[in-house]
Amino acid sequence: MITHGKNIKIFAANSNPDLAARIAERLELPVGKSSVGMFSDGEISVNLYETVRGSDVFVVQSTSEPVNDHLMELLIMIDALKRASAGRITAVIPYMGYARQDRKAKARDPISAKLVADLISTAGADRVLTMDLHAAQIQGFFNIPVDHLLGVPILAPYYAKKFGRDRDDIVVVSPDLGSVTRARNFAQRLNVPLAIIDKRRPKANVSEVMNIIGDVKEKTVILVDDMIDTAGTITHGAQALVDYGAKEVYACCTHPVLSGPAIERIENCPITELLVLDTISLPEEKKIDKIKTMSVAPVFAEAIERIYEDLSVSTLFV
């Protein structure tokens, strides 16, 4: 049984080729020669143009919009690599779509995150490398090893450099109760207070701010979330913080999904600056002045190197 490939190869499909190139550059490797296209009827076509026999292969592919196309590209590329006798295949999924469907919220709901995990395993992946799953317990949906990286260790140093640590006039804010653990971790890194927005969500993609738990009056606040989709939660939260007396509002997230009215909402809200990571490739029309991007390539490159060398990846979580 082959448990370790003889050399590293990085392949990419179409969701985030720039990130794949940055990761490969950090590892001083070329991106594997392949093409991922589509037949006239919409079927995905994958071609590999170099040998992968016995190699330790890492496929970089976020399952972002269009989610289903990018998911199928990932599955078919994994299958192609498996049938080409790759020694070990790691699905590098910086952003995993369907992760919000992790439980039955009401009767007869599917648990789509579990289905996607099964598909990735069945396609032939030997392990998964991802970042900031919407619910950390999704790691348990996979029957293969999962290395779960965090965005906070990348985002927090930016604000530590910008504002410094141990500041009484800086407050980290969780936009909802579900993000408190992440925000607390962030606040501890800056050694600043934590506040929480208590909100009620009457239906999907609609949020209603109810109360602010903590002191934000005359403070510079930093909103921290794992993803921003339609931006309703983060922009309504920013407005509520201003209404409660916050002096200035900054926001950051790992995954800039930014679908629907997100860009318009961000442009028109009180947020001074939105810091995002490049787990999802932003098209030009979404690159507005308010949005600043940092790369996850250094962290993913180090994780890939550690996986290849059978070293601990947990040191990247601190």
CSV table of all heavy atoms in Angstrom, one decimal, residues 108-156:
chain,number,residue,atom,x,y,z
A,108,ARG,N,-37.4,17.1,6.9
A,108,ARG,CA,-37.2,16.7,5.5
A,108,ARG,C,-36.1,17.5,4.8
A,108,ARG,O,-36.0,17.5,3.6
A,108,ARG,CB,-38.5,16.7,4.6
A,108,ARG,CG,-39.5,15.7,5.1
A,108,ARG,CD,-40.8,15.8,4.4
A,108,ARG,NE,-41.5,17.1,4.7
A,108,ARG,CZ,-42.2,17.3,5.8
A,108,ARG,NH1,-42.3,16.4,6.7
A,108,ARG,NH2,-42.8,18.4,5.9
A,109,ASP,N,-35.2,18.2,5.6
A,109,ASP,CA,-34.1,18.9,5.0
A,109,ASP,C,-33.0,17.8,4.7
A,109,ASP,O,-32.8,16.9,5.4
A,109,ASP,CB,-33.5,19.8,6.0
A,109,ASP,CG,-34.1,21.2,5.9
A,109,ASP,OD1,-34.9,21.4,5.0
A,109,ASP,OD2,-33.7,22.1,6.7
A,110,PRO,N,-32.2,18.0,3.6
A,110,PRO,CA,-31.0,17.2,3.3
A,110,PRO,C,-29.9,17.7,4.2
A,110,PRO,O,-29.9,18.8,4.7
A,110,PRO,CB,-30.7,17.5,1.8
A,110,PRO,CG,-31.2,18.9,1.6
A,110,PRO,CD,-32.4,19.1,2.5
A,111,ILE,N,-28.9,16.9,4.3
A,111,ILE,CA,-27.6,17.3,5.0
A,111,ILE,C,-26.6,17.3,3.8
A,111,ILE,O,-25.8,16.3,3.7
A,111,ILE,CB,-27.2,16.4,6.2
A,111,ILE,CG1,-28.4,16.4,7.2
A,111,ILE,CG2,-25.9,17.0,6.8
A,111,ILE,CD1,-28.1,15.6,8.4
A,112,SER,N,-26.6,18.3,3.0
A,112,SER,CA,-25.8,18.3,1.8
A,112,SER,C,-24.3,18.3,2.0
A,112,SER,O,-23.5,17.8,1.2
A,112,SER,CB,-26.2,19.6,1.0
A,112,SER,OG,-27.6,19.6,0.7
A,113,ALA,N,-23.9,18.9,3.2
A,113,ALA,CA,-22.4,18.9,3.5
A,113,ALA,C,-21.9,17.4,3.6
A,113,ALA,O,-20.8,17.1,3.2
A,113,ALA,CB,-22.1,19.7,4.8
A,114,LYS,N,-22.7,16.6,4.2
A,114,LYS,CA,-22.3,15.2,4.4
A,114,LYS,C,-22.3,14.5,3.0
A,114,LYS,O,-21.4,13.7,2.7
A,114,LYS,CB,-23.3,14.5,5.3
A,114,LYS,CG,-23.2,12.9,5.3
A,114,LYS,CD,-21.8,12.5,5.8
A,114,LYS,CE,-21.8,10.9,5.9
A,114,LYS,NZ,-20.4,10.4,6.0
A,115,LEU,N,-23.2,14.8,2.1
A,115,LEU,CA,-23.3,14.2,0.8
A,115,LEU,C,-22.0,14.6,0.0
A,115,LEU,O,-21.4,13.8,-0.6
A,115,LEU,CB,-24.5,14.7,0.0
A,115,LEU,CG,-24.6,14.3,-1.5
A,115,LEU,CD1,-24.6,12.8,-1.6
A,115,LEU,CD2,-25.8,14.9,-2.1
A,116,VAL,N,-21.6,15.9,0.1
A,116,VAL,CA,-20.4,16.4,-0.6
A,116,VAL,C,-19.2,15.7,-0.1
A,116,VAL,O,-18.3,15.3,-0.8
A,116,VAL,CB,-20.3,17.9,-0.5
A,116,VAL,CG1,-19.0,18.4,-1.0
A,116,VAL,CG2,-21.4,18.6,-1.3
A,117,ALA,N,-19.1,15.5,1.2
A,117,ALA,CA,-18.0,14.8,1.8
A,117,ALA,C,-17.9,13.4,1.3
A,117,ALA,O,-16.8,12.9,1.0
A,117,ALA,CB,-18.1,14.8,3.4
A,118,ASP,N,-19.0,12.7,1.2
A,118,ASP,CA,-19.0,11.4,0.7
A,118,ASP,C,-18.6,11.3,-0.8
A,118,ASP,O,-17.8,10.4,-1.2
A,118,ASP,CB,-20.4,10.8,0.8
A,118,ASP,CG,-20.8,10.4,2.2
A,118,ASP,OD1,-19.8,10.3,3.1
A,118,ASP,OD2,-22.0,10.2,2.5
A,119,LEU,N,-19.0,12.3,-1.6
A,119,LEU,CA,-18.6,12.4,-3.0
A,119,LEU,C,-17.1,12.5,-3.2
A,119,LEU,O,-16.5,11.9,-4.0
A,119,LEU,CB,-19.4,13.5,-3.7
A,119,LEU,CG,-20.9,13.4,-3.9
A,119,LEU,CD1,-21.5,14.7,-4.4
A,119,LEU,CD2,-21.1,12.3,-5.0
A,120,ILE,N,-16.5,13.4,-2.3
A,120,ILE,CA,-15.1,13.7,-2.4
A,120,ILE,C,-14.3,12.4,-2.1
A,120,ILE,O,-13.3,12.0,-2.7
A,120,ILE,CB,-14.7,14.9,-1.5
A,120,ILE,CG1,-15.3,16.2,-2.1
A,120,ILE,CG2,-13.2,15.0,-1.4
A,120,ILE,CD1,-15.2,17.4,-1.2
A,121,SER,N,-14.8,11.7,-1.0
A,121,SER,CA,-14.1,10.5,-0.6
A,121,SER,C,-14.2,9.4,-1.7
A,121,SER,O,-13.3,8.7,-2.1
A,121,SER,CB,-14.7,10.0,0.7
A,121,SER,OG,-14.5,10.9,1.7
A,122,THR,N,-15.5,9.3,-2.2
A,122,THR,CA,-15.8,8.2,-3.2
A,122,THR,C,-15.0,8.5,-4.5
A,122,THR,O,-14.6,7.5,-5.2
A,122,THR,CB,-17.3,8.2,-3.5
A,122,THR,OG1,-18.0,7.9,-2.3
A,122,THR,CG2,-17.6,7.1,-4.5
A,123,ALA,N,-14.8,9.8,-4.9
A,123,ALA,CA,-14.1,10.1,-6.1
A,123,ALA,C,-12.6,9.6,-6.0
A,123,ALA,O,-12.0,9.3,-7.1
A,123,ALA,CB,-14.1,11.6,-6.3
A,124,GLY,N,-12.1,9.5,-4.8
A,124,GLY,CA,-10.7,8.9,-4.7
A,124,GLY,C,-9.8,9.8,-3.9
A,124,GLY,O,-8.6,9.5,-3.8
A,125,ALA,N,-10.2,10.9,-3.2
A,125,ALA,CA,-9.3,11.7,-2.4
A,125,ALA,C,-8.9,10.9,-1.2
A,125,ALA,O,-9.7,10.2,-0.6
A,125,ALA,CB,-10.0,13.0,-2.0
A,126,ASP,N,-7.6,11.0,-0.8
A,126,ASP,CA,-7.1,10.3,0.3
A,126,ASP,C,-7.1,11.2,1.6
A,126,ASP,O,-7.1,10.7,2.7
A,126,ASP,CB,-5.6,9.9,0.1
A,126,ASP,CG,-5.5,8.9,-1.0
A,126,ASP,OD1,-6.1,7.8,-0.8
A,126,ASP,OD2,-4.9,9.2,-2.1
A,127,ARG,N,-7.2,12.5,1.4
A,127,ARG,CA,-7.3,13.4,2.5
A,127,ARG,C,-7.8,14.8,2.0
A,127,ARG,O,-7.8,15.0,0.8
A,127,ARG,CB,-6.0,13.6,3.3
A,127,ARG,CG,-4.9,14.3,2.5
A,127,ARG,CD,-3.5,14.2,3.3
A,127,ARG,NE,-3.7,14.7,4.7
A,127,ARG,CZ,-3.3,14.1,5.8
A,127,ARG,NH1,-2.8,12.9,5.7
A,127,ARG,NH2,-3.4,14.6,7.0
A,128,VAL,N,-8.2,15.7,2.9
A,128,VAL,CA,-8.7,17.0,2.5
A,128,VAL,C,-8.0,18.0,3.3
A,128,VAL,O,-7.7,17.9,4.5
A,128,VAL,CB,-10.2,17.1,2.8
A,128,VAL,CG1,-10.7,18.5,2.7
A,128,VAL,CG2,-11.0,16.2,1.9
A,129,LEU,N,-7.6,19.1,2.7
A,129,LEU,CA,-7.0,20.3,3.3
A,129,LEU,C,-7.9,21.5,3.0
A,129,LEU,O,-8.1,21.8,1.9
A,129,LEU,CB,-5.6,20.5,2.7
A,129,LEU,CG,-4.9,21.8,3.2
A,129,LEU,CD1,-4.6,21.8,4.7
A,129,LEU,CD2,-3.5,21.9,2.5
A,130,THR,N,-8.5,22.1,4.1
A,130,THR,CA,-9.4,23.2,3.9
A,130,THR,C,-9.2,24.2,4.9
A,130,THR,O,-8.3,24.2,5.7
A,130,THR,CB,-10.9,22.6,3.9
A,130,THR,OG1,-11.8,23.6,3.6
A,130,THR,CG2,-11.2,22.1,5.3
A,131,MET,N,-10.0,25.3,4.8
A,131,MET,CA,-9.9,26.4,5.8
A,131,MET,C,-11.3,26.9,6.2
A,131,MET,O,-12.2,27.1,5.4
A,131,MET,CB,-9.1,27.6,5.1
A,131,MET,CG,-9.0,28.8,6.0
A,131,MET,SD,-7.9,30.1,5.3
A,131,MET,CE,-6.3,29.5,5.9
A,132,ASP,N,-11.4,27.1,7.5
A,132,ASP,CA,-12.6,27.7,8.1
A,132,ASP,C,-13.9,27.2,7.5
A,132,ASP,O,-14.7,27.9,6.9
A,132,ASP,CB,-12.6,29.2,7.9
A,132,ASP,CG,-11.9,29.9,9.1
A,132,ASP,OD1,-11.6,29.3,10.1
A,132,ASP,OD2,-11.5,31.1,9.0
A,133,LEU,N,-14.1,25.9,7.8
A,133,LEU,CA,-15.4,25.3,7.5
A,133,LEU,C,-16.5,26.0,8.3
A,133,LEU,O,-16.2,26.4,9.4
A,133,LEU,CB,-15.5,23.8,7.9
A,133,LEU,CG,-14.6,22.9,7.0
A,133,LEU,CD1,-14.5,21.5,7.7
A,133,LEU,CD2,-15.2,22.7,5.6
A,134,HIS,N,-17.7,26.2,7.7
A,134,HIS,CA,-18.7,27.0,8.3
A,134,HIS,C,-19.1,26.4,9.7
A,134,HIS,O,-19.4,27.1,10.6
A,134,HIS,CB,-20.0,27.1,7.5
A,134,HIS,CG,-21.0,28.0,8.0
A,134,HIS,ND1,-20.8,29.4,8.1
A,134,HIS,CD2,-22.3,27.8,8.4
A,134,HIS,CE1,-21.9,29.9,8.6
A,134,HIS,NE2,-22.8,29.0,8.8
A,135,ALA,N,-19.0,25.1,9.8
A,135,ALA,CA,-19.2,24.3,11.0
A,135,ALA,C,-18.0,23.4,11.2
A,135,ALA,O,-17.9,22.5,10.3
A,135,ALA,CB,-20.5,23.6,11.0
A,136,ALA,N,-17.3,23.5,12.2
A,136,ALA,CA,-16.0,22.7,12.4
A,136,ALA,C,-16.3,21.2,12.4
A,136,ALA,O,-15.5,20.4,12.0
A,136,ALA,CB,-15.3,23.1,13.6
A,137,GLN,N,-17.5,20.8,12.9
A,137,GLN,CA,-17.9,19.4,13.0
A,137,GLN,C,-18.0,18.7,11.6
A,137,GLN,O,-18.1,17.5,11.5
A,137,GLN,CB,-19.2,19.2,13.8
A,137,GLN,CG,-20.4,19.8,13.2
A,137,GLN,CD,-20.7,21.2,13.7
A,137,GLN,OE1,-19.7,21.9,14.2
A,137,GLN,NE2,-21.9,21.6,13.8
A,138,ILE,N,-18.0,19.5,10.5
A,138,ILE,CA,-18.1,18.9,9.2
A,138,ILE,C,-16.8,18.0,8.9
A,138,ILE,O,-16.9,17.1,8.1
A,138,ILE,CB,-18.2,20.0,8.1
A,138,ILE,CG1,-19.6,20.6,8.2
A,138,ILE,CG2,-18.0,19.4,6.7
A,138,ILE,CD1,-19.7,21.9,7.3
A,139,GLN,N,-15.7,18.3,9.7
A,139,GLN,CA,-14.6,17.4,9.6
A,139,GLN,C,-15.0,15.9,9.8
A,139,GLN,O,-14.4,15.0,9.2
A,139,GLN,CB,-13.5,17.8,10.6
A,139,GLN,CG,-12.9,19.2,10.4
A,139,GLN,CD,-12.0,19.6,11.5
A,139,GLN,OE1,-10.9,19.2,11.6
A,139,GLN,NE2,-12.5,20.5,12.4
A,140,GLY,N,-15.9,15.7,10.7
A,140,GLY,CA,-16.4,14.4,11.0
A,140,GLY,C,-17.2,13.8,10.0
A,140,GLY,O,-17.5,12.6,10.0
A,141,PHE,N,-17.7,14.5,8.9
A,141,PHE,CA,-18.5,14.0,7.8
A,141,PHE,C,-17.6,13.2,6.9
A,141,PHE,O,-18.1,12.4,6.1
A,141,PHE,CB,-19.1,15.1,7.0
A,141,PHE,CG,-20.3,15.8,7.8
A,141,PHE,CD1,-20.6,15.5,9.1
A,141,PHE,CD2,-21.0,16.8,7.2
A,141,PHE,CE1,-21.6,16.2,9.8
A,141,PHE,CE2,-22.0,17.5,7.8
A,141,PHE,CZ,-22.3,17.2,9.1
A,142,PHE,N,-16.3,13.4,6.9
A,142,PHE,CA,-15.4,12.7,6.0
A,142,PHE,C,-14.8,11.4,6.7
A,142,PHE,O,-14.6,11.4,7.9
A,142,PHE,CB,-14.1,13.6,5.7
A,142,PHE,CG,-14.5,14.8,4.8
A,142,PHE,CD1,-14.9,16.0,5.4
A,142,PHE,CD2,-14.4,14.7,3.4
A,142,PHE,CE1,-15.1,17.1,4.6
A,142,PHE,CE2,-14.6,15.8,2.6
A,142,PHE,CZ,-15.0,17.0,3.2
A,143,ASN,N,-14.7,10.4,5.9
A,143,ASN,CA,-14.1,9.2,6.4
A,143,ASN,C,-12.6,9.1,6.0
A,143,ASN,O,-12.0,8.0,6.0
A,143,ASN,CB,-14.8,8.0,5.8
A,143,ASN,CG,-16.2,7.9,6.3
A,143,ASN,OD1,-16.5,8.2,7.5
A,143,ASN,ND2,-17.2,7.6,5.4
A,144,ILE,N,-12.0,10.3,5.7
A,144,ILE,CA,-10.6,10.4,5.4
A,144,ILE,C,-10.0,11.5,6.3
A,144,ILE,O,-10.8,12.3,6.8
A,144,ILE,CB,-10.3,10.7,3.9
A,144,ILE,CG1,-11.1,11.9,3.5
A,144,ILE,CG2,-10.7,9.5,3.1
A,144,ILE,CD1,-10.9,12.3,2.0
A,145,PRO,N,-8.7,11.6,6.4
A,145,PRO,CA,-8.2,12.7,7.3
A,145,PRO,C,-8.5,14.1,6.7
A,145,PRO,O,-8.5,14.3,5.5
A,145,PRO,CB,-6.6,12.5,7.2
A,145,PRO,CG,-6.5,11.0,6.9
A,145,PRO,CD,-7.7,10.7,6.0
A,146,VAL,N,-8.8,15.0,7.6
A,146,VAL,CA,-9.1,16.4,7.2
A,146,VAL,C,-8.1,17.3,8.0
A,146,VAL,O,-8.1,17.3,9.3
A,146,VAL,CB,-10.5,16.8,7.5
A,146,VAL,CG1,-10.8,18.3,7.2
A,146,VAL,CG2,-11.5,15.9,6.7
A,147,ASP,N,-7.4,18.2,7.3
A,147,ASP,CA,-6.6,19.2,8.0
A,147,ASP,C,-7.4,20.5,7.8
A,147,ASP,O,-7.6,21.0,6.7
A,147,ASP,CB,-5.2,19.3,7.4
A,147,ASP,CG,-4.4,18.1,7.7
A,147,ASP,OD1,-4.2,17.8,8.9
A,147,ASP,OD2,-3.9,17.4,6.7
A,148,HIS,N,-7.8,21.1,9.0
A,148,HIS,CA,-8.7,22.3,9.0
A,148,HIS,C,-7.9,23.5,9.4
A,148,HIS,O,-7.7,23.7,10.6
A,148,HIS,CB,-9.8,22.0,9.9
A,148,HIS,CG,-10.9,23.0,9.9
A,148,HIS,ND1,-11.6,23.4,11.0
A,148,HIS,CD2,-11.4,23.8,8.9
A,148,HIS,CE1,-12.4,24.4,10.7
A,148,HIS,NE2,-12.3,24.6,9.5
A,149,LEU,N,-7.5,24.3,8.4
A,149,LEU,CA,-6.7,25.5,8.7
A,149,LEU,C,-7.7,26.6,9.2
A,149,LEU,O,-8.9,26.6,8.9
A,149,LEU,CB,-5.9,26.0,7.5
A,149,LEU,CG,-4.9,24.9,7.0
A,149,LEU,CD1,-4.3,25.5,5.7
A,149,LEU,CD2,-3.9,24.6,8.0
A,150,LEU,N,-7.1,27.7,9.8
A,150,LEU,CA,-7.9,28.8,10.3
A,150,LEU,C,-7.5,30.1,9.7
A,150,LEU,O,-6.3,30.3,9.4
A,150,LEU,CB,-7.8,28.8,11.9
A,150,LEU,CG,-8.2,27.6,12.6
A,150,LEU,CD1,-7.9,27.8,14.1
A,150,LEU,CD2,-9.7,27.2,12.4
A,151,GLY,N,-8.5,31.0,9.5
A,151,GLY,CA,-8.2,32.3,8.9
A,151,GLY,C,-7.7,33.3,9.9
A,151,GLY,O,-7.0,34.2,9.6
A,152,VAL,N,-8.1,33.1,11.2
A,152,VAL,CA,-7.8,34.1,12.2
A,152,VAL,C,-6.3,34.4,12.3
A,152,VAL,O,-5.9,35.5,12.5
A,152,VAL,CB,-8.4,33.7,13.6
A,152,VAL,CG1,-7.8,34.5,14.7
A,152,VAL,CG2,-9.9,33.9,13.5
A,153,PRO,N,-5.4,33.3,12.3
A,153,PRO,CA,-4.0,33.6,12.4
A,153,PRO,C,-3.4,34.4,11.3
A,153,PRO,O,-2.3,35.0,11.4
A,153,PRO,CB,-3.4,32.2,12.4
A,153,PRO,CG,-4.5,31.3,12.9
A,153,PRO,CD,-5.7,31.9,12.4
A,154,ILE,N,-4.1,34.5,10.2
A,154,ILE,CA,-3.7,35.4,9.1
A,154,ILE,C,-4.3,36.8,9.2
A,154,ILE,O,-3.6,37.8,9.0
A,154,ILE,CB,-4.2,34.8,7.7
A,154,ILE,CG1,-3.7,33.3,7.6
A,154,ILE,CG2,-3.7,35.6,6.6
A,154,ILE,CD1,-4.2,32.6,6.3
A,155,LEU,N,-5.5,36.9,9.6
A,155,LEU,CA,-6.2,38.2,9.7
A,155,LEU,C,-5.8,39.0,10.9
A,155,LEU,O,-5.6,40.2,10.8
A,155,LEU,CB,-7.8,37.9,9.8
A,155,LEU,CG,-8.4,37.3,8.6
A,155,LEU,CD1,-9.8,36.8,8.9
A,155,LEU,CD2,-8.4,38.3,7.4
A,156,ALA,N,-5.6,38.4,12.1
A,156,ALA,CA,-5.4,39.1,13.3
A,156,ALA,C,-4.1,39.9,13.2
A,156,ALA,O,-4.0,41.1,13.7
A,156,ALA,CB,-5.4,38.2,14.5
